[in-house]
Amino acid sequence: MPELPEVEVVRRGIADWVVGRTVAQVQVLHPRATRAHILGERDFCDRLAGRTIAEVNRRGKFMWLVLDDESAVVIHLGMSGQVLVQPADAAPEKHLRIRATFTDGQRAMHFVDQRTFGGMRIDELVPDASGILVPESVAHIAPDPLDDKFDLPAVSAAISLKDTEIKRILLDQNMLSGIGNIYADEALWLSQIHGATRASALTLEQIQALIVHATKVMAAALDQGGTSFDSLYVNVNGESGYFSRDLNAYGREKEPCHRCGTPMVRERFMNRSSFSCPTCQPLPAGK
Ligand SMILES: [Zn+2]
């Protein structure tokens, strides 16, 4: 499952090619790819044709193309979605789901998705809680920590009032977005906090430091991902090399903690695996 850094890598790769270009024609080759577009695939194709792409934006794991008519194409990569910018005469990929050509005739944008969990929809742009224009289906998603508009002190203060397990809050896209399971575990390890600790039991400084750690881990992953693709073949794949970078917590069950040497443990949390050091990140009292 692609996380924020992987989606940002794709966003940058697409933006280089599509911004300022006008869509000529759109083909949907699998109905599931536009199932989230309520008015159906014919409407999706008709509305996108002739539109110029003004920007490619992202919030958390959501990415969208801003069109020149105050709407946007929201792209969900799902489990295996890829967005490729290909030569216009390139042969279709085996799992090609949506293809858009541009009026300059040079390149085509291909949405390839083997498992068909991903897809696209066209949304109106609406103001979010802070008055920022975002696609309607993204309006409930809070800004992510890599966003210029992310307000660290305000978000930290809001989190400190919650009597909820801190890892649950990190993964909740309504408080701050884009921190997936892997980055949450890494940030908790760096901060020496167990994910089951109640947010209200942490100091404001601890919460701020935790978010800063999550931001740094994601920025480091982004730096790695940003060097491993070329602009003709923008690839996002949860099983690709991005996750093989040095991780301190995630996936390290029974391996020695990089800080104290204690074997790391794996626990179930929100139907996922959580990895932590039992010495550096003790369970809160009563757990
Ligand atoms: Zn340790």
mmCIF file of all heavy atoms in Angstrom, residues 189 192 256-264 276-281, ligand 1:
data_model
loop_
_atom_site.group_PDB
_atom_site.id
_atom_site.type_symbol
_atom_site.label_atom_id
_atom_site.label_comp_id
_atom_site.label_asym_id
_atom_site.label_seq_id
_atom_site.Cartn_x
_atom_site.Cartn_y
_atom_site.Cartn_z
ATOM 1 N N TRP A 189 9.000 4.906 17.812
ATOM 2 C CA TRP A 189 10.292 4.382 18.276
ATOM 3 C C TRP A 189 11.259 5.541 18.528
ATOM 4 O O TRP A 189 11.917 5.598 19.572
ATOM 5 C CB TRP A 189 10.875 3.402 17.246
ATOM 6 C CG TRP A 189 12.172 2.788 17.703
ATOM 7 C CD1 TRP A 189 12.320 1.661 18.483
ATOM 8 C CD2 TRP A 189 13.496 3.280 17.437
ATOM 9 N NE1 TRP A 189 13.649 1.429 18.718
ATOM 10 C CE2 TRP A 189 14.406 2.399 18.090
ATOM 11 C CE3 TRP A 189 14.006 4.354 16.723
ATOM 12 C CZ2 TRP A 189 15.790 2.579 18.033
ATOM 13 C CZ3 TRP A 189 15.382 4.535 16.670
ATOM 14 C CH2 TRP A 189 16.260 3.659 17.323
ATOM 15 N N GLN A 192 10.397 7.233 21.652
ATOM 16 C CA GLN A 192 10.373 6.355 22.819
ATOM 17 C C GLN A 192 9.011 6.372 23.508
ATOM 18 O O GLN A 192 8.910 6.487 24.738
ATOM 19 C CB GLN A 192 11.506 6.714 23.797
ATOM 20 C CG GLN A 192 12.875 6.632 23.114
ATOM 21 C CD GLN A 192 14.042 6.770 24.086
ATOM 22 O OE1 GLN A 192 14.077 6.117 25.131
ATOM 23 N NE2 GLN A 192 15.004 7.600 23.734
ATOM 24 N N PRO A 256 17.455 -6.951 17.363
ATOM 25 C CA PRO A 256 17.827 -6.060 18.472
ATOM 26 C C PRO A 256 17.455 -4.602 18.187
ATOM 27 O O PRO A 256 17.644 -4.108 17.080
ATOM 28 C CB PRO A 256 19.343 -6.228 18.573
ATOM 29 C CG PRO A 256 19.782 -6.804 17.273
ATOM 30 C CD PRO A 256 18.627 -7.577 16.725
ATOM 31 N N CYS A 257 16.932 -3.942 19.219
ATOM 32 C CA CYS A 257 16.629 -2.514 19.138
ATOM 33 C C CYS A 257 17.913 -1.765 18.782
ATOM 34 O O CYS A 257 18.959 -2.017 19.372
ATOM 35 C CB CYS A 257 16.086 -2.039 20.483
ATOM 36 S SG CYS A 257 15.959 -0.250 20.647
ATOM 37 N N HIS A 258 17.832 -0.854 17.827
ATOM 38 C CA HIS A 258 19.011 -0.098 17.413
ATOM 39 C C HIS A 258 19.513 0.860 18.490
ATOM 40 O O HIS A 258 20.597 1.410 18.381
ATOM 41 C CB HIS A 258 18.702 0.703 16.138
ATOM 42 C CG HIS A 258 18.657 -0.150 14.907
ATOM 43 N ND1 HIS A 258 17.975 0.207 13.766
ATOM 44 C CD2 HIS A 258 19.209 -1.362 14.641
ATOM 45 C CE1 HIS A 258 18.109 -0.743 12.846
ATOM 46 N NE2 HIS A 258 18.842 -1.704 13.362
ATOM 47 N N ARG A 259 18.735 1.041 19.568
ATOM 48 C CA ARG A 259 19.151 1.958 20.637
ATOM 49 C C ARG A 259 19.681 1.185 21.843
ATOM 50 O O ARG A 259 20.696 1.539 22.408
ATOM 51 C CB ARG A 259 17.967 2.837 21.044
ATOM 52 C CG ARG A 259 18.309 4.059 21.861
ATOM 53 C CD ARG A 259 17.151 5.069 21.849
ATOM 54 N NE ARG A 259 15.883 4.388 21.783
ATOM 55 C CZ ARG A 259 14.844 4.787 21.033
ATOM 56 N NH1 ARG A 259 14.901 5.892 20.331
ATOM 57 N NH2 ARG A 259 13.737 4.090 21.026
ATOM 58 N N CYS A 260 18.988 0.086 22.241
ATOM 59 C CA CYS A 260 19.350 -0.566 23.505
ATOM 60 C C CYS A 260 19.646 -2.055 23.356
ATOM 61 O O CYS A 260 20.073 -2.691 24.312
ATOM 62 C CB CYS A 260 18.245 -0.356 24.534
ATOM 63 S SG CYS A 260 16.792 -1.356 24.207
ATOM 64 N N GLY A 261 19.389 -2.638 22.200
ATOM 65 C CA GLY A 261 19.715 -4.047 21.976
ATOM 66 C C GLY A 261 18.639 -5.036 22.375
ATOM 67 O O GLY A 261 18.737 -6.221 22.081
ATOM 68 N N THR A 262 17.608 -4.596 23.069
ATOM 69 C CA THR A 262 16.509 -5.491 23.456
ATOM 70 C C THR A 262 15.800 -6.006 22.189
ATOM 71 O O THR A 262 15.582 -5.229 21.257
ATOM 72 C CB THR A 262 15.475 -4.712 24.313
ATOM 73 O OG1 THR A 262 16.141 -4.112 25.408
ATOM 74 C CG2 THR A 262 14.360 -5.619 24.811
ATOM 75 N N PRO A 263 15.432 -7.302 22.161
ATOM 76 C CA PRO A 263 14.684 -7.767 20.982
ATOM 77 C C PRO A 263 13.362 -6.999 20.815
ATOM 78 O O PRO A 263 12.619 -6.827 21.775
ATOM 79 C CB PRO A 263 14.427 -9.249 21.280
ATOM 80 C CG PRO A 263 15.486 -9.618 22.276
ATOM 81 C CD PRO A 263 15.728 -8.392 23.106
ATOM 82 N N MET A 264 13.091 -6.582 19.599
ATOM 83 C CA MET A 264 11.870 -5.832 19.298
ATOM 84 C C MET A 264 10.672 -6.781 19.333
ATOM 85 O O MET A 264 10.809 -7.978 19.078
ATOM 86 C CB MET A 264 11.973 -5.214 17.901
ATOM 87 C CG MET A 264 13.157 -4.288 17.704
ATOM 88 S SD MET A 264 12.932 -2.679 18.471
ATOM 89 C CE MET A 264 11.670 -1.973 17.403
ATOM 90 N N SER A 276 7.696 -2.438 18.262
ATOM 91 C CA SER A 276 8.247 -1.490 19.229
ATOM 92 C C SER A 276 9.304 -2.182 20.084
ATOM 93 O O SER A 276 9.442 -3.406 20.061
ATOM 94 C CB SER A 276 7.129 -0.942 20.124
ATOM 95 O OG SER A 276 6.554 -1.996 20.873
ATOM 96 N N CYS A 277 10.047 -1.383 20.834
ATOM 97 C CA CYS A 277 11.041 -1.909 21.767
ATOM 98 C C CYS A 277 10.423 -1.917 23.162
ATOM 99 O O CYS A 277 10.030 -0.857 23.655
ATOM 100 C CB CYS A 277 12.295 -1.032 21.754
ATOM 101 S SG CYS A 277 13.413 -1.500 23.095
ATOM 102 N N PRO A 278 10.348 -3.088 23.813
ATOM 103 C CA PRO A 278 9.702 -3.145 25.128
ATOM 104 C C PRO A 278 10.468 -2.378 26.202
ATOM 105 O O PRO A 278 9.890 -2.017 27.227
ATOM 106 C CB PRO A 278 9.654 -4.647 25.435
ATOM 107 C CG PRO A 278 10.655 -5.272 24.547
ATOM 108 C CD PRO A 278 10.800 -4.403 23.336
ATOM 109 N N THR A 279 11.755 -2.113 25.979
ATOM 110 C CA THR A 279 12.541 -1.366 26.963
ATOM 111 C C THR A 279 12.414 0.136 26.742
ATOM 112 O O THR A 279 12.115 0.898 27.658
ATOM 113 C CB THR A 279 14.038 -1.781 26.893
ATOM 114 O OG1 THR A 279 14.103 -3.193 27.119
ATOM 115 C CG2 THR A 279 14.861 -1.054 27.932
ATOM 116 N N CYS A 280 12.639 0.571 25.505
ATOM 117 C CA CYS A 280 12.597 2.021 25.204
ATOM 118 C C CYS A 280 11.177 2.558 25.156
ATOM 119 O O CYS A 280 10.950 3.754 25.334
ATOM 120 C CB CYS A 280 13.228 2.313 23.845
ATOM 121 S SG CYS A 280 14.927 1.836 23.690
ATOM 122 N N GLN A 281 10.215 1.662 24.826
ATOM 123 C CA GLN A 281 8.825 2.115 24.646
ATOM 124 C C GLN A 281 7.920 1.256 25.538
ATOM 125 O O GLN A 281 7.125 0.455 25.036
ATOM 126 C CB GLN A 281 8.380 1.936 23.194
ATOM 127 C CG GLN A 281 9.207 2.717 22.177
ATOM 128 C CD GLN A 281 8.933 2.239 20.767
ATOM 129 O OE1 GLN A 281 9.642 1.394 20.223
ATOM 130 N NE2 GLN A 281 7.882 2.765 20.147
HETATM 131 ZN ZN ZN B 1 15.279 -0.171 22.849
#
